[in-house]
Amino acid sequence: MLGGAGVAALAAGAAGWISTAGSPAAGTTLDAGATREPLAPPAELTARDGRLQVELVAATGVRLAGRDTRALGFNGTSPGPTLRLRPGDELAVRLTNHLDQPTNLHTHGLRVSPQGNSDNPFLRIDPGASFDYRIPVPPDHPPGTHWYHPHYHGTVADQLFGGLAGALLVDGGPPLPVDDDRVLLITDTTLNADGTVPVASPAERMQGREGQLVLLNGQHQPVVSAAPGHAQRWRLINGCISRVLAVRLEGHTLQQIAQDSTFLPAPTPHRQLVLAPGNRADVVVQPDRAGRFTLLTDPYDRGTAMSGMGGTPPAATGSTTLATLAVDGPAATAPALPTTLPAEPPPAAATATRSTAFQMGMGGMRGGTGNTTTDALPMSFTIDGRSFDPNRDDQIVTAGTVEEWTVTNTGPLAHPFHLHVWPFTVVAASDGRPTTGVPQDVVLVPATGWVRLRIPFTSHTGRSVYHCHILDHEDAGMMATIVVR
Ligand code: C2O
Ligand code: CU
Ligand code: CU
């Protein structure tokens, strides 16, 4: 049993541990408003008898960072409820739009059909309207950590930055020696004094907005309680629209067991774990002694400072506190993790190759697109020289084949490449980083560099998208269509 006692002890001894955060300037300002609440899990909705039927209402007005705000939520909360499924279940969502702009729903990471009323990013649900999604999860779907968020082109960044996101878990996998299984959905946003979320400037959209508040399950710097000898599984989800997280837990090693939706071959220790927007990492934390340990994200340079785009050099901003791990009780060693995990076997060799390039150009969008977001930008965001057009087929792939893609980045900012429905294995990257050998669905493409991916198109057929998961860039046109048939 964990929880109650540790939290009470913390409240009593608060003065001593706040200072352990040790964050310089930027962190200090945020600390002033820290709520120090115990970490609260989002409401959880679990499938029964093979089906999870839920209503999600997207609307303004949620509690965020300990205050009542005009930010956005599902069913009145941000994040929305955690949806828990098993392979073979059907996810039935009635999405009701109480926003003042179109929206829709994407099940990021799920290997499900992109067609019809399944995970279809081309749908448009107008203000006041409802739509019934029916998303069958295949019986052989791998267990893992996924998430959901709106995906209506041109509004995605604003709606996620506003707070619309939730966790989506597929249960299963090996038994793990953990006493807690927690969702840690990390988002960032900025709140005006009146509780509204500010409109982004063109400069912010160009570099990709990073909010002043970094939140964990919608809470600002909550307290995670633990006891020595009791391990916890943390499902870290980077739901920030642009911020790359470089997560570190003081005094601990993060034992990574899964990347995005799939298990690694073995637990892998990290001092610091880098998560691009959209990435997930399941880690096991094994506290063995009492203490207060800060979970933080270190500065990460994605190119905004060097490229003359007005970003602050990362070194100047310092680390940002995400949470405090409060460990109480006599010292004890947590049980050992299994030495191997059920990783997917690597995909078959590729039979076709393909290249695609993420590009930022001067001069902005030529001609009015009618999209006020992109028309206001003095720079263009394109893939293979073209801005997103939902009616154009950009890549046509033969169903059942395995392809090797080279994704290049011609510009000075790193862009996270994301492909819906069909996860890929990273084969190599121009910066020489180690690769995991297991499927993932977001990978950072370094500035003026490339990544090489192996993609099995062996599951679903249909039409979907790939894009930059800096969602300001996606909304500005850095997205393309793909048809698998
Ligand atoms: Cu998480 Cu197409 O997005
Ligand atoms: Cu996605
Ligand atoms: Cu980008």
Side-chain angles (χ1 to χ4, degrees):
M1 265 302 297
L2 303 175
V7 174
L10 257 186
W17 56 270
I18 287 180
S19 60
T20 61
S23 307
T28 310
T29 322
L30 298 179
D31 280 355
T35 53
R36 307 296 178 183
E37 298 163 347
L39 179 74
E44 202 166 281
L45 303 171
T46 305
R48 277 189 221 310
D49 303 323
R51 196 152 196 269
L52 179 57
Q53 182 156 359
V54 299
E55 173 150 33
L56 292 178
V57 180
T60 303
V62 289
R63 244 188 120 65
L64 214 54
R67 13 182 323 213
D68 291 320
T69 71
R70 302 301 293 157
L72 311 179
F74 288 111
N75 303 354
T77 64
S78 172
T82 296
L83 309 182
R84 238 180 212 282
L85 300 155
R86 296 190 63 83
D89 286 344
E90 180 183 70
L91 175 60
V93 179
R94 167 162 295 184
L95 176 64
T96 297
N97 182 2
H98 285 173
L99 308 172
D100 57 8
Q101 53 181 205
T103 191
N104 67 15
L105 191 73
H106 169 47
T107 53
H108 181 133
L110 278 193
R111 304 184 196 181
V112 294
S113 169
Q115 315 216 56
N117 57 355
S118 187
D119 181 24
N120 181 344
F122 303 106
L123 292 170
R124 170 187 174 129
I125 302 162
D126 282 317
S130 292
F131 184 82
D132 287 319
Y133 286 89
R134 288 280 178 282
I135 306 176
V137 179
D140 61 351
H141 196 287
T145 302
H146 318 270
W147 60 302
Y148 62 88
H149 62 76
H151 216 290
Y152 185 72
H153 179 61
T155 68
V156 183
D158 283 348
Q159 291 183 13
L160 263 95
F161 197 73
L164 291 173
L168 179 48
L169 311 180
V170 177
D171 282 332
L176 294 165
V178 297
D179 292 291
D180 288 282
D181 182 345
R182 302 186 191 271
V183 166
L184 273 63
L185 174 49
I186 299 159
T187 55
D188 64 353
T189 196
T190 300
L191 292 170
N192 293 321
D194 66 357
T196 56
V197 178
V199 174
S201 68
E204 287 176 303
R205 289 187 194 277
M206 283 197 302
Q207 68 181 59
R209 255 174 289 179
E210 298 194 10
Q212 290 169 4
L213 286 165
V214 184
L215 304 174
L216 211 155
N217 296 350
Q219 296 175 282
H220 187 223
Q221 302 178 352
V223 177
V224 184
S225 56
H230 295 265
Q232 305 198 356
R233 176 180 185 167
W234 291 358
R235 301 168 183 265
L236 299 164
I237 303 172
N238 186 354
C240 301
I241 65 168
S242 309
R243 185 188 298 266
V244 175
L245 300 172
V247 178
R248 185 160 57 85
L249 176 60
E250 285 178 345
H252 290 78
T253 296
L254 298 170
Q255 292 285 349
Q256 188 184 10
I257 57 169
Q259 167 75 35
D260 291 355
S261 316
T262 49
F263 283 103
L264 301 180
T268 309
H270 291 278
R271 202 190 129 264
Q272 184 199 64
L273 202 52
V274 174
L275 295 176
N279 273 140
R280 287 87 67 211
D282 287 25
V283 299
V284 176
V285 174
Q286 300 166 297
D288 60 5
R289 63 200 182 282
R292 300 291 174 266
F293 306 96
T294 305
L295 178 70
L296 38 81
T297 178
D298 289 325
Y300 184 93
D301 184 8
R302 53 188 180 84
T304 49
M306 299 308 294
S307 57
M309 295 190 68
T312 314
T317 59
S319 303
T320 303
T321 298
L322 299 172
T324 302
L325 178 68
V327 189
D328 290 289
T333 305
L337 288 173
T339 50
T340 62
L341 295 165
E344 279 181 46
T351 54
T353 59
R354 194 181 291 262
S355 294
T356 189
F358 282 17
Q359 297 154 332
M360 283 170 58
M362 299 307 290
M365 305 314 303
R366 278 166 294 278
T369 60
N371 180 333
T372 49
T373 303
T374 54
D375 288 348
L377 294 185
M379 198 170 263
S380 67
F381 290 82
T382 56
I383 293 179
D384 300 325
R386 300 186 294 202
S387 184
F388 179 63
D389 177 351
N391 298 311
R392 184 186 64 221
D393 290 341
D394 294 310
Q395 310 290 350
I396 298 173
V397 173
T398 305
T401 58
V402 179
E403 294 200 350
E404 186 165 282
W405 285 33
T406 301
V407 182
T408 55
N409 174 1
T410 61
L413 297 186
H415 298 287
F417 170 91
H418 171 52
L419 170 62
H420 289 205
V421 182
W422 303 278
F424 47 81
T425 301
V426 180
V427 178
S430 57
D431 55 9
R433 79 185 85 143
T435 57
T436 62
V438 295
Q440 61 189 78
D441 55 60
V442 178
V443 64
L444 211 49
V445 190
T448 65
W450 50 266
V451 294
R452 196 158 293 137
L453 316 173
R454 193 174 297 175
I455 317 176
F457 292 99
T458 47
S459 54
H460 302 278
T461 56
R463 192 162 181 275
S464 196
V465 290
Y466 65 95
H467 58 89
C468 177
H469 217 290
I470 289 175
L471 296 170
D472 281 312
H473 295 172
E474 183 259 277
D475 281 335
M478 199 174 256
M479 178 153 72
T481 65
I482 172 170
V483 187
V484 178
R485 65 179 180 219

